[in-house]
Amino acid sequence: LHSSDQKKLTIRSTLKEFLSHFDPDDFIMIHKSYIVNKECIESMTATHLTLRGSVQLPIGRKFKPTVKNALLR
């Protein structure tokens, strides 16, 4: 887990299980390896999200429709 204050924590659970503990209006799974806080998203292309600090993460093909819908809300 990477936080905005650069702290790193090790979590021992699946991402789906981890995500179930948070409000789905705040966090979204964008790839089989990534969950992001929607407030940290600065921009989106067809294949990537850019987060604060110019961090770019890929959007998984199967997650694209979900990501688009979540960001339009």
Side-chain angles (χ1 to χ4, degrees):
L1 174 68
H2 294 263
S3 65
S4 60
D5 60 0
Q6 306 303 316
K7 290 183 182 178
K8 294 180 183 179
L9 301 170
T10 301
I11 307 295
R12 299 208 186 272
S13 73
T14 65
L15 285 179
K16 279 188 176 186
E17 183 179 318
F18 182 73
L19 185 60
S20 71
H21 296 284
F22 295 94
D23 185 344
D25 290 332
D26 295 333
F27 289 85
I28 184 168
M29 191 165 200
I30 64 162
H31 185 278
K32 67 181 181 179
S33 301
Y34 300 108
I35 295 172
V36 299
N37 182 333
K38 291 182 197 176
E39 290 185 12
C40 295
I41 299 171
E42 292 198 345
S43 64
M44 177 181 168
T45 67
T47 59
H48 288 81
L49 288 181
T50 301
L51 307 179
R52 288 185 210 145
S54 301
V55 174
Q56 286 198 335
L57 298 175
I59 301 171
R61 284 180 298 202
K62 84 175 199 178
F63 296 95
K64 280 183 188 179
T66 305
V67 172
K68 283 183 181 180
N69 288 336
L71 296 179
L72 291 175
R73 283 194 244 155

